[in-house]
Amino acid sequence: MSANLSATLYLISGVLFILALRGLSSPETSRQGNLFGIIGMLIAVTVTFLSVGNFTSGFVYVLIFLAIGGSIGAFIAYKIPMTAMPELVAGFHSLVGLAAVFVAISAFINPEAFGLGTPGNIKLASLVEMAIGAAVGAITFSGSVIAFLKLQGIMSGAPITFKGQHALNALILVSIIILTFYLCSTQSSNLFWILIAVSFLIGFLIIIPIGGADMPVVISMLNSYSGWAAAGIGFTLENTALIITGALVGSSGAILSYIMCKGMNRSFFNVILGGFGATAESTGDKKTEQRPVKSGNADDAAFLMKNASSVIIVPGYGMAVAQAQHALREMVDTLKKNDIKVSYAIHPVAGRMPGHMNVLLAEANVPYDEVFELEEINNDFANADVAFVIGANDVTNPVAKTDPQSPIYGMPVLDVEKCKSVLFVKRSLSPGYAGIDNDLFYKENTLMLFADAKKMTEDITKNL
Amino acid sequence: MEIDPFIFRLSIFILSIFIGYYVVWSVTPSLHTPLMSVTNAISSVIIVGAIIAALSGNEEVIFSSSSIYGFLAIILAAVNIFGGFLVTQRMLAMYKKKKKDK
């Protein structure tokens, strides 16, 4: 296959990837978009086989390895529960990162195969691109592994901080730049290995101080990194499909991180440089006196909802943990039978990754036109009779609007307290991830339902 | 003076960042999770590099020190491609069912 033809086909596969993302602008076109993505991938892989043109026994092994990886991937995709999507995505990011590192290593050892020169005499530009691809790939890998461990609960979600952390990170980053510089002038393979090792280390160090509640930002950020790593390799291989894709994924992840940061009213650097827990500790101990709360049972909740004409449901991560989404939908079905208007309000950072709650509700067969984003629904709380908060906490805290001293002051929150009555399902009065008390618990119109989210929802349904 | 091909690739790269910027802002927030899984799948087009690396050997030496990394990368990227697209498909199918309600 001529180089021009294959370059054109790579361009087409890049365009198909753009269309794949474009399809996601609405649920109706999204499945078609995914199909475009699959076609794009098929084209890219086929063109690569044809342009290498090496159909010897090595080719058979390639197909075997492809089949092994493919079956593992397909198996995971069918088995994974929707609540575990954040872990899955973090895990997949780590694979992209590691694959980028492996490709870069291979290109460094055997540059002839890629047309980049001979070992010890690699073209300067290619070497720089290779080094960038390998370094970013390594950071993506180790960072994603830590994110995966934290999300999976194998590693504590609490931020791990130590003295001189920022200084150490800065030092390592500077050393990566210096290493890249020396690598280019000496072409030494030892420096290349050190560069990769140091990059693994920095990926690890960047993620450990970030707390569990900031995971939506971390996942989006690693998504972005995996894109930049792919783009770096794309430059090395002079491959348009990879360059386009890398740029798309890189900017996609960056936008998602921005949206998540805005949802928490924190700057990107604030998230990266330190855990939420660290700032909350200093302010968390000021009010320790017991304030009265009203608590009720499923019967009371059912009574309130039966007499309502509109109910807004506010789901959060707790709903995912309790696997309460199906029970919730059943409750809503019963409410709808009684001619009660029900809608769902989703905060941008609800859950552990962007859009997490939407997927869980979709899994439970909740129609997507009943689910609203913060800006769309926030004015409706004042007109609603009942707000049903299930598994959410900090995102409903009115303190964010009233107390400038609070660590979450300025964060956009759902105006749940404006409802005539608020039902708050929670196991106890313990604070959420931000480590602060929720004023909503003590409001006149709040009824606390202390129970497991799933069990409480089922009990309410029985009482309706 | 000839323009270095690198500049062309850089142009593609920069313009693609802008395309990505506008396309991703138009993605509806309720599909942000599928967006992440599908970007994950497409970034595995890095398999292109892995295949070139894996096929760099010859009849006698299929697994050389450089091609072995290619084969490893093929497995990783394949997990991601199949896993990423299929899990996206699975999620999007759930958004589909709703239409009967309307």
Side-chain angles (χ1 to χ4, degrees):
Chain A
M1 185 180 273
S2 85
N4 285 335
L5 181 61
S6 56
T8 315
L9 288 169
Y10 280 133
L11 181 65
I12 291 173
S13 96
V15 171
L16 285 168
F17 290 151
I18 296 174
L19 293 176
L21 299 194
R22 184 75 187 91
L24 290 170
S25 57
S26 95
E28 278 92 41
T29 54
S30 60
R31 267 154 286 123
Q32 191 194 27
N34 198 39
L35 191 65
F36 282 141
I38 295 172
I39 298 171
M41 187 62 74
L42 261 170
I43 294 179
V45 171
T46 316
V47 170
T48 311
F49 282 140
L50 294 177
S51 56
V52 177
N54 177 2
F55 295 102
T56 54
S57 43
F59 179 68
V60 180
Y61 280 104
V62 168
L63 292 183
I64 292 172
F65 281 76
L66 200 64
I68 295 174
S71 350
I72 299 173
F75 179 76
I76 297 173
Y78 279 109
K79 282 282 166 205
I80 193 94
M82 283 299 139
T83 39
M85 278 315 290
E87 291 95 305
L88 178 78
V89 169
F92 277 176
H93 285 155
S94 72
L95 300 185
V96 179
L98 195 58
V101 174
F102 284 164
V103 173
I105 293 175
S106 183
F108 186 80
I109 300 176
N110 185 4
E112 285 118 323
F114 296 85
L116 305 173
T118 52
N121 193 16
I122 301 169
K123 281 188 282 181
L124 182 64
S126 307
L127 199 56
V128 177
E129 291 151 5
M130 216 183 279
I132 293 172
V136 180
I139 293 171
T140 312
F141 172 71
S142 55
S144 300
V145 168
I146 300 300
F148 176 82
L149 294 177
K150 285 196 172 195
L151 286 163
Q152 191 75 288
I154 298 169
M155 198 172 147
S156 154
I160 299 167
T161 49
F162 54 89
K163 230 179 149 198
Q165 195 163 24
H166 300 326
L168 178 67
N169 289 352
L171 193 75
I172 295 177
L173 283 175
V174 171
S175 75
I176 287 180
I177 297 167
I178 297 174
L179 277 169
T180 312
F181 182 78
Y182 276 106
L183 173 67
C184 295
S185 52
T186 61
Q187 305 248 356
S188 146
S189 59
N190 286 338
L191 286 178
F192 188 68
W193 293 113
I194 296 173
L195 176 72
I196 291 173
V198 172
S199 304
F200 278 132
L201 183 65
I202 188 76
F204 172 77
L205 288 172
I206 287 175
I207 307 301
I208 54 165
I210 303 180
D214 291 331
M215 276 305 148
V217 182
V218 172
I219 299 191
S220 320
M221 185 180 84
L222 292 166
N223 186 233
S224 178
Y225 285 0
S226 69
W228 304 132
I233 301 296
F235 275 103
T236 316
L237 305 182
E238 309 183 346
N239 183 304
T240 353
L242 251 174
I243 295 176
I244 295 176
T245 315
L248 288 177
V249 177
S251 52
S252 163
I255 290 171
L256 289 176
S257 328
Y258 171 77
I259 295 174
M260 292 300 113
C261 286
K262 227 179 82 199
M264 297 192 287
N265 188 40
R266 301 173 66 200
S267 76
F268 185 68
F269 286 102
N270 183 281
V271 175
I272 298 306
L273 293 181
F276 219 0
T279 47
E281 266 168 46
S282 49
T283 50
D285 52 16
K286 54 178 182 178
K287 278 181 269 175
T288 39
E289 90 269 22
Q290 287 285 317
R291 288 193 278 170
V293 281
K294 281 198 291 183
S295 76
N297 56 30
D299 209 15
D300 305 328
F303 177 77
L304 268 171
M305 283 205 252
K306 236 189 291 184
N307 292 307
S309 61
S310 71
V311 174
I312 299 180
I313 308 222
V314 181
Y317 185 60
M319 181 191 78
V321 174
Q323 299 273 4
Q325 62 271 31
H326 297 278
L328 180 68
R329 212 272 334 258
E330 276 163 33
M331 185 188 90
V332 170
D333 284 349
T334 321
L335 288 175
K336 278 202 246 171
K337 270 184 214 137
N338 294 321
D339 282 327
I340 299 166
K341 186 176 168 282
V342 185
S343 37
Y344 298 80
I346 298 194
H347 191 275
V349 293
R352 285 291 171 274
M353 74 183 293
H356 192 194
M357 287 299 124
N358 304 78
V359 170
L360 294 179
L361 291 177
E363 188 199 11
N365 279 323
V366 172
Y368 56 79
D369 45 11
E370 287 177 13
V371 183
F372 298 95
E373 301 300 314
L374 174 89
E375 309 89 63
E376 296 173 315
I377 200 167
N378 227 2
N379 294 327
D380 297 352
F381 280 107
N383 305 320
D385 297 312
V386 175
F388 186 72
V389 183
I390 175 165
N393 186 359
D394 293 329
V395 297
T396 62
N397 197 341
V399 157
K401 291 175 286 193
T402 54
D403 180 10
Q405 302 298 310
S406 167
I408 63 166
Y409 181 70
M411 172 171 134
V413 287
L414 293 157
D415 297 335
V416 174
E417 77 282 358
K418 289 186 181 156
C419 268
K420 290 203 189 73
S421 39
V422 178
L423 296 170
F424 208 114
V425 186
K426 208 170 178 310
R427 282 168 194 272
S428 68
L429 279 180
S430 63
Y433 260 108
I436 47 165
D437 222 6
N438 192 340
D439 265 6
L440 196 60
F441 300 163
Y442 314 106
K443 294 265 179 195
E444 202 42 30
N445 56 347
T446 304
L447 188 67
M448 298 298 295
L449 307 169
F450 293 112
D452 173 71
K454 187 176 179 188
K455 192 165 176 305
M456 176 52 79
T457 318
E458 284 165 350
D459 288 348
I460 294 175
T461 316
K462 274 182 216 144
N463 283 303
L464 275 169
Chain B
M1 199 186 107
E2 284 246 4
I3 300 172
D4 191 310
F6 172 78
I7 301 300
F8 289 119
R9 287 192 282 278
L10 190 66
S11 321
I12 293 172
F13 179 64
I14 304 285
L15 292 175
S16 300
I17 292 178
F18 278 90
I19 294 173
Y21 179 85
Y22 289 105
V23 169
V24 172
W25 271 117
S26 75
V27 170
T28 161
S30 67
L31 291 176
H32 275 163
T33 299
L35 171 69
M36 295 197 86
S37 59
V38 87
T39 49
N40 218 311
I42 63 172
S43 59
S44 306
V45 72
I46 200 154
I47 198 166
V48 164
I51 293 171
I52 298 176
L55 292 177
S56 61
N58 51 40
E59 275 306 334
E60 288 84 53
V61 202
I62 292 164
F63 296 102
S64 67
S65 62
S66 78
S67 75
I68 194 86
Y69 285 105
F71 281 111
L72 290 175
I74 285 180
I75 294 191
L76 299 178
V79 171
N80 236 325
I81 292 172
F82 283 77
F85 280 124
L86 288 173
V87 88
T88 310
Q89 192 89 356
R90 210 180 121 200
M91 274 191 269
L92 295 177
M94 301 188 310
Y95 284 84
K96 176 187 181 180
K97 281 184 233 158
K98 328 290 116 72
K99 279 167 103 185
K100 64 174 190 251
D101 259 40
K102 279 195 198 168

